Amino acid sequence: MTGNPLIDLLISVLGVALLVAVCAALGGWRTAALTGESDAAARLKDELPDFHPTRWVIAADGLSAVAMAGEDVAVLRVLGDGTAVRRARRDVVTESAAHLRVDVGDPSFPAFDLRVAR
Amino acid sequence: MSYPDVVALAIPGFVLAILLEMAAWRRGAGLRYEARDSATSLLMGLGFVVQSLFTSTIAVGAYSFAYAHRLFDLPTAWWTLLLCFLAEDHSYYWFHRVSHERRWFWASHVVHHSSQTYNLSTALRQAWTGNVSGGFLFWLPLPLLGFPPAMVIFFSGVSLVYQFWIHTEGIRSLGPLEWVFNTPAHHRVHHGTKPADLDRNYAGILIVWDRLYGTFQPELAGPHRYGLVHQIATFNPLRVATHEWIAMGKDLLAARTPAAAWGAVFGPPGWTSGETTATIKARARAAAL
């Protein structure tokens, strides 16, 4: 563009920021938080139709949930207006009084803490 | 002969087209945008350009070496341009197909498929490790045949620019053009994760390669589910760029036999977990019976 790579990079970063700002200003910054167990169950059914949970733990902020069935768990994370799900063994979840630590050992699904809804 | 840098020339057009598509999305045209998802896609595109400044020398060096040992001296004429266009598009088809069917190349290409949305910003979600992992090898026969590296790079750029506009849900069908060209409808199938859509429609510009090699899938009725079979849970560009490489490394370290190690790196994606495209399609067929 200008011949100076640093200035070109700066212009490009500003261009990215502009497009993202326009998208956000138009209403594109959406978080499809879980509204409850039935909402979480519906999203889980889309991803893992053969998983039938017997117990749910929904995060207080609605951004994650853990469904348990025997020795297996299904973990849901809200990502913007989408959802990501993993099925794993139950030992990926460490429970304490007020929160769960979830680490499925998948680099595309970072470990996280789930603060339990009261 | 010098060729224009079509990608650089197209960037203002990319920006304008994205703004227009956002406007259409706001007017309720059945499109989908999410700001953080678009930010990740755009930053992946920016990172792709930056890493290309350093890694494209690998490809250019390899092309130049091959051209120095070329089999034919081809003149710059309309018919060599036409042949180069077809050869480049054919090379792209096989590069793209292998990028889906072998984990080594998928580790780079997975980046492009990691968005759950499908819009023009998704087109710019490009891999950062394509050159260093050897993606350029698929184009090496072209300079070896006698096509000048600059001509090959030009048509690669044309293909990249062409493929920008097909990343949209705003265009439904283009009638008879659907027979010959890769179109938004064909490419929506390619980004879909329903079993019938997996590993289909690899074309760059001409869909005829998919029809020829048996990988064509027409768009079926009903909404698409875009992204990956197992969606990623991050907008972090660094994690998006590297997650499959890290997963591959972990599987490689856990391999107990040479066959397992080979499969973890050069098998189809999902080989280690037993969930490949073939097994997913077989399971879907069994469930439909």
Side-chain angles (χ1 to χ4, degrees):
Chain A
M1 291 185 284
T2 65
N4 183 324
L6 285 178
I7 294 175
D8 288 353
L9 183 62
L10 184 63
I11 292 170
S12 301
V13 170
L14 290 173
V16 168
L18 172 72
L19 285 172
V20 174
V22 169
C23 186
L26 291 174
W29 197 288
R30 296 187 305 278
T31 300
L34 299 164
T35 56
E37 202 172 299
S38 59
D39 180 25
R43 295 194 210 186
L44 179 63
K45 194 176 178 186
D46 284 342
E47 301 289 322
L48 296 173
D50 60 337
F51 191 88
H52 304 291
T54 53
R55 182 188 162 208
W56 277 98
V57 179
I58 312 279
D61 59 10
L63 298 182
S64 58
V66 174
M68 301 178 188
E71 287 306 304
D72 286 351
V73 294
V75 186
L76 286 80
R77 289 208 74 183
V78 174
L79 191 77
D81 61 354
T83 310
V85 176
R86 291 292 183 278
R87 184 173 187 159
R89 302 293 292 170
R90 193 166 183 149
D91 59 11
V92 305
V93 179
T94 310
E95 293 193 54
S96 69
H99 76 277
L100 306 182
R101 175 74 180 165
V102 182
D103 185 356
V104 299
D106 180 341
S108 67
F109 199 96
F112 65 99
D113 288 310
L114 182 160
R115 188 163 297 281
V116 181
R118 293 282 169 201
Chain B
M1 183 176 176
S2 65
Y3 297 86
D5 183 349
V6 288
V7 177
L9 290 172
I11 287 173
F14 291 167
V15 173
L16 185 62
I18 289 171
L19 287 170
L20 288 172
E21 194 186 42
M22 282 182 188
W25 155 61
R26 284 310 299 158
R27 291 170 64 90
L31 309 175
R32 181 179 167 196
Y33 264 92
E34 205 288 323
R36 284 157 293 183
D37 175 83
S38 291
T40 302
S41 295
L42 296 168
L43 288 171
M44 297 309 297
L46 183 57
F48 166 77
V49 172
V50 172
Q51 66 81 33
S52 293
L53 295 174
F54 302 99
T55 65
S56 60
T57 54
I58 302 169
V60 172
Y63 292 168
S64 299
F65 181 81
Y67 189 64
H69 298 82
R70 61 189 175 277
L71 300 173
F72 307 103
D73 281 314
L74 300 176
T76 300
W78 69 267
W79 61 270
T80 46
L81 287 167
L82 179 62
L83 276 179
C84 189
F85 163 73
L86 293 171
E88 192 286 328
D89 204 45
H90 186 254
S91 295
Y92 180 84
Y93 170 87
W94 282 104
F95 156 75
H96 196 189
R97 182 167 175 172
V98 174
S99 291
H100 278 262
E101 296 181 354
R102 295 293 154 217
R103 193 183 189 186
W104 175 263
F105 293 103
W106 173 245
S108 293
H109 189 61
V110 64
V111 167
H112 181 62
H113 286 268
S114 62
S115 171
Q116 295 188 38
T117 62
Y118 187 77
N119 55 45
L120 291 175
S121 75
T122 311
L124 304 180
R125 187 178 281 232
Q126 294 288 328
W128 296 355
T129 52
N131 280 331
V132 294
S133 59
F136 62 88
L137 294 172
F138 291 87
W139 284 267
L140 216 49
L142 276 64
L144 194 60
L145 283 169
F147 294 108
M151 191 188 288
V152 175
I153 291 165
F154 168 73
F155 281 115
S156 294
V158 169
S159 180
L160 194 66
V161 172
Y162 178 87
Q163 290 180 60
F164 171 75
W165 74 277
I166 60 178
H167 290 83
T168 184
E169 293 191 283
I171 298 170
R172 301 318 300 174
S173 171
L174 293 173
L177 294 178
E178 304 277 344
W179 281 96
V180 181
F181 293 102
N182 194 12
T183 62
H186 297 327
H187 208 58
R188 283 193 291 272
V189 169
H190 178 69
H191 276 258
T193 64
K194 291 178 180 174
D197 296 343
L198 290 175
D199 289 1
R200 288 291 179 264
N201 298 0
Y202 296 115
I205 296 177
L206 301 173
I207 198 69
V208 292
W209 307 121
D210 284 287
R211 296 185 188 277
L212 188 65
Y213 292 119
T215 51
F216 177 69
Q217 169 67 41
E219 187 172 40
L220 302 174
H224 286 284
R225 175 189 182 275
Y226 296 114
L228 302 170
V229 171
H230 299 296
Q231 307 287 10
I232 62 169
T234 179
F235 287 129
N236 180 338
L238 277 176
R239 196 176 274 273
V240 171
T242 58
H243 71 87
E244 186 63 19
W245 289 108
I246 295 169
M248 187 196 299
K250 289 172 75 172
D251 288 343
L252 185 60
L253 289 174
R256 290 288 166 261
T257 65
W262 177 266
V265 177
F266 297 110
W271 187 88
T272 305
S273 65
E275 196 174 24
T276 63
T277 294
T279 59
I280 292 168
K281 285 179 184 280
R283 201 166 58 217
R285 279 194 298 271
L289 290 176

